[in-house]
Amino acid sequence: MFDSLSDKFHDAFKNIRGKGKISEANIEETLKEVRTALLEADVNFKVVRDFVAKVKEESLGEKVIRGVNPGEQFVKIMHDQLAAIMGSEHEMIDLKRPPVIPMIIVGLNGSGKTTFTGKFAKYLKEKEKKDVYIVPADNFRPAAKDQLLKLASQVGVDYSDSDLSLSPREIALRGMQEAQMKGKEIALIDTAGRLHVDQELMAQLKDLKKALDPMKPEVLFVADAMTGQEAVNVAKTFHEEIGLTGVILSKMDSDARGGAALSIKYVTGVPIRFISTGEKVKDLERFHPDRLASRILDMGDVLTLVEKAQENIDEKEAEAMMKKMEKNKFSIDDFYKQMNMMSKLGSFEGILKMIPGMGGLMRQIGDLSPAEDEMKRIKVMIQSMTKKERDDCDLLKSQSRISRIAKGSGTDESKVRDFIKKFEQMRQMLGPMMQMMKGGGMGGFPGMPGMPGMGGGNPGFRQAPGMSGKMKKKGKNGRSPFGKKYF
Ligand SMILES: Nc1nc2c(ncn2[C@@H]2O[C@H](COP(=O)(O)OP(=O)(O)O)[C@@H](O)[C@H]2O)c(=O)[nH]1
Ligand SMILES: [Mg+2]
């Protein structure tokens, strides 16, 4: 997310890092670069102007000059101001009011409305335990209803079989009636878009919103983060015309530069509620301005990582594996399970970026997809092994087994041998390492499941996934998103 902006900030901070004192001169120099970086990221110029002024004011304040480490304090000021322009804290939609709550999803064509509707239905059902009803009200694009109903079935949410010959207003009103009769709590109404702001569309949406006004609808605008300031302008028009209650930033996984995320709340006053980070229905995160500010500044986002881990990793299983590692009983089958747990957290890149300081390192390493491909190849290899072989890798000394596995997984025998050798080496290392950890020698976490040896020593990482109960107690400040590096 926002790699180029992160890089430029990092370069800009070189002027200040390591300096004994922040002076007006080195602040000016740094802020000039910060300003350019923000403008190049397509951030609204008024936002840039106010942001830079605020950072300057804070940096030159007395507090900082007396500070121990000015460079790090400057990063902290940047962090807080970045978070502030994006809205400071996560603002959740009010879900506590009486049902049925209508939520109208609006935005331009292709911005991600329908995808978001599916994701949000899943989120509301699973995380908020709400009974959701989906109402397809896009009668502009013929395939839109099918697309949405497929998503509805995929996430297991009930839907209305809307009559698309009616007006969006009529469709929505009927949908709300059905939702009431069926005792639903929330109705998600997916509307049509256009390529650009269009008077006919605005009139239809206004009409729809007006009809639902007595039910106090949420109006959620889906903004394609890749379109930068254009998304901000469109949001502004939608807000002036129909009144928005929230913004969703979509396609945050793609190479969006940051302009939309950093300007939209400041320019429109409408809070960003969620970010969409992929094409799958699980790729939805609540929007936390402070966490995004941390990611932009390469401070990582350990809180989100921990949340993802808690959702996706079976703690009992992880603990059982740690015990096996200690006793040198870690099997290929355990390794396989670990790899699967890891992939539930996202791509290598996505995971590493959430760890403080890793963003910059990763940009030096470059492409991580070879590692990811290698992992996929290994998975296929393991899938070609029998349960017995997975549990006892001694069996894999047999030539006939190796050649069967190579054939089954479409790879060379040498690759299979190579994997078995590496697995055995890793297993031999794990036992002593776990013992050391228990003794507190390394003072940290041994690594994410499936990636032995990656962690160690990072304070922000102490409640990382897969950690055993014993270790958790040792961590002092596991919930600090920054670790000691910056503060
Ligand atoms: N990479 C990525 N693609 C997305 C995201 N959200 C939507 N898309 C894709 O964007 C395209 C348009 O999405 P759709 O929901 O149909 O947009 P709508 O016209 O506003 O309903 C589809 O190909 C989606 O798969 C996202 O968060 N990340
Ligand atoms: Mg759509």
Side-chain angles (χ1 to χ4, degrees):
M1 237 174 262
F2 312 159
D3 285 354
S4 151
L5 186 59
S6 294
D7 273 345
K8 286 179 192 149
F9 277 170
H10 189 261
D11 288 346
F13 297 161
K14 281 192 186 127
N15 294 320
I16 289 190
R17 277 218 169 96
K19 293 263 159 50
K21 205 169 145 184
I22 293 184
S23 68
E24 183 130 15
N26 57 32
I27 281 282
E28 285 295 347
E29 193 58 35
T30 305
L31 286 178
K32 222 165 88 190
E33 286 182 41
V34 165
R35 187 173 173 279
T36 312
L38 288 169
L39 290 172
E40 282 172 5
D42 206 19
V43 179
N44 176 283
F45 78 94
K46 281 188 201 139
V47 179
V48 177
R49 187 189 60 200
D50 294 358
F51 174 81
V52 169
K54 196 83 179 85
V55 173
K56 182 172 175 186
E57 183 193 317
E58 297 275 316
S59 311
L60 294 175
E62 215 183 340
K63 286 178 298 203
V64 170
I65 290 174
R66 279 203 261 108
V68 190
N69 189 333
E72 286 172 8
Q73 291 206 30
F74 182 78
V75 177
K76 161 100 171 98
I77 292 170
M78 284 282 295
H79 171 269
D80 293 351
Q81 294 306 323
L82 277 177
I85 58 168
M86 292 189 285
S88 290
E89 288 191 348
H90 173 67
E91 291 182 62
M92 188 50 186
I93 300 166
D94 178 15
L95 299 174
K96 295 211 176 70
R97 58 200 177 90
V100 181
I101 311 173
M103 299 197 183
I104 312 169
I105 320 297
V106 302
L108 295 185
N109 254 358
S111 60
K113 291 180 296 300
T114 304
T115 312
F116 168 71
T117 307
K119 291 174 177 182
F120 198 37
K122 177 180 159 77
Y123 171 91
L124 290 169
K125 177 185 159 191
E126 290 173 7
K127 304 267 167 63
E128 305 286 348
K129 311 287 173 226
K130 295 288 178 190
D131 199 353
V132 183
Y133 198 57
I134 286 183
V135 182
D138 178 353
N139 58 2
F140 189 71
R141 257 200 333 207
K145 183 175 161 187
D146 271 359
Q147 182 194 356
L148 184 57
L149 297 193
K150 257 188 215 136
L151 280 170
S153 325
Q154 189 189 336
V155 300
V157 165
D158 196 8
Y159 53 82
S160 167
D161 184 18
S162 321
D163 175 356
L164 296 184
S165 66
L166 300 174
S167 68
R169 169 201 163 101
E170 274 309 308
I171 297 173
L173 283 173
R174 288 194 186 189
M176 288 307 294
Q177 257 175 7
E178 290 167 18
Q180 265 150 12
M181 268 162 35
K182 294 183 172 194
K184 303 287 171 186
E185 296 172 284
I186 295 170
L188 300 181
I189 303 162
D190 181 33
T191 67
R194 296 290 189 276
L195 285 177
H196 305 282
V197 173
D198 166 297
Q199 280 319 307
E200 185 203 0
L201 173 71
M202 285 301 164
Q204 275 184 356
L205 290 174
K206 249 189 229 174
D207 198 32
L208 189 167
K209 156 95 180 338
K210 209 166 145 208
L212 298 187
D213 262 345
M215 300 173 233
K216 298 206 168 32
E218 294 288 335
V219 185
L220 303 175
F221 177 81
V222 181
D224 179 341
M226 285 181 72
T227 62
Q229 280 204 57
E230 175 57 20
V232 180
N233 294 334
V234 177
K236 200 160 168 262
T237 311
F238 268 72
H239 189 42
E240 285 159 4
E241 296 267 341
I242 42 180
L244 305 175
T245 62
V247 168
I248 287 86
L249 295 171
S250 71
K251 310 190 193 176
M252 290 283 276
D253 53 311
S254 47
D255 53 358
R257 284 176 293 170
L262 290 169
S263 322
I264 215 159
K265 157 80 197 216
Y266 199 82
V267 172
T268 63
V270 182
I272 304 168
R273 308 288 194 176
F274 286 87
I275 58 177
S276 233
T277 56
E279 300 197 49
K280 300 210 185 88
V281 282
K282 67 171 178 49
D283 300 327
L284 185 71
E285 294 174 19
R286 282 196 192 201
F287 178 68
H288 293 276
D290 50 338
R291 297 189 194 179
L292 185 55
S294 302
R295 285 197 215 177
I296 294 173
L297 294 168
D298 260 359
M299 294 163 155
D301 180 2
V302 175
L303 287 185
T304 301
L305 185 59
V306 169
E307 278 176 10
K308 276 188 195 252
Q310 281 166 348
E311 280 162 27
N312 292 299
I313 287 182
D314 179 343
E315 221 178 291
K316 275 199 192 112
E317 185 137 7
E319 196 155 341
M321 279 188 201
M322 299 284 265
K323 291 220 171 83
K324 282 184 162 176
M325 286 186 198
E326 260 173 50
K327 292 183 191 145
N328 263 351
K329 290 216 170 114
F330 190 66
S331 70
I332 293 184
D333 198 51
D334 297 323
F335 181 68
Y336 185 70
K337 283 187 191 140
Q338 272 200 344
M339 284 203 292
N340 284 335
M341 280 191 203
M342 269 287 282
S343 32
K344 280 195 206 144
L345 297 185
S347 65
F348 276 6
E349 191 178 337
I351 298 168
L352 287 179
K353 271 193 189 152
M354 290 191 212
I355 300 167
M358 279 294 190
L361 184 70
M362 272 181 42
R363 281 192 291 279
Q364 285 167 27
I365 300 171
D367 192 8
L368 278 170
S369 46
E372 217 134 352
D373 290 347
E374 176 70 11
M375 187 151 132
K376 279 189 203 131
R377 269 195 294 276
I378 291 177
K379 270 192 192 174
V380 178
M381 240 184 254
I382 299 178
Q383 280 158 5
S384 296
M385 296 175 188
T386 63
K387 176 84 174 81
K388 268 193 180 157
E389 287 163 350
R390 289 188 208 183
D391 286 338
D392 177 8
C393 64
D394 283 343
L395 291 176
L396 294 170
K397 302 225 155 69
S398 132
Q399 169 59 36
S400 62
R401 286 180 194 265
I402 287 176
S403 95
R404 197 201 73 240
I405 293 162
K407 262 200 204 111
S409 57
T411 187
D412 301 335
E413 290 183 10
S414 63
K415 291 244 165 69
V416 180
R417 275 200 201 90
D418 196 43
F419 165 69
I420 297 166
K421 198 170 113 203
K422 282 196 181 130
F423 176 79
E424 281 179 334
Q425 283 169 351
M426 180 188 87
R427 197 165 72 149
Q428 273 164 14
M429 268 167 52
L430 281 174
M433 205 163 98
M434 301 303 291
Q435 293 297 332
M436 246 167 91
M437 303 266 322
K438 268 174 76 187
M442 279 169 77
F445 176 67
M448 310 260 307
M451 299 181 82
M454 210 194 74
N458 189 334
F461 210 54
R462 285 210 173 119
Q463 278 192 355
M467 213 164 187
S468 76
K470 254 180 268 165
M471 288 173 159
K472 236 178 233 167
K473 277 177 217 128
K474 256 187 228 157
K476 281 179 219 125
N477 65 340
R479 292 201 75 84
S480 153
F482 308 124
K484 281 201 186 114
K485 191 158 175 273
Y486 290 98
F487 304 105

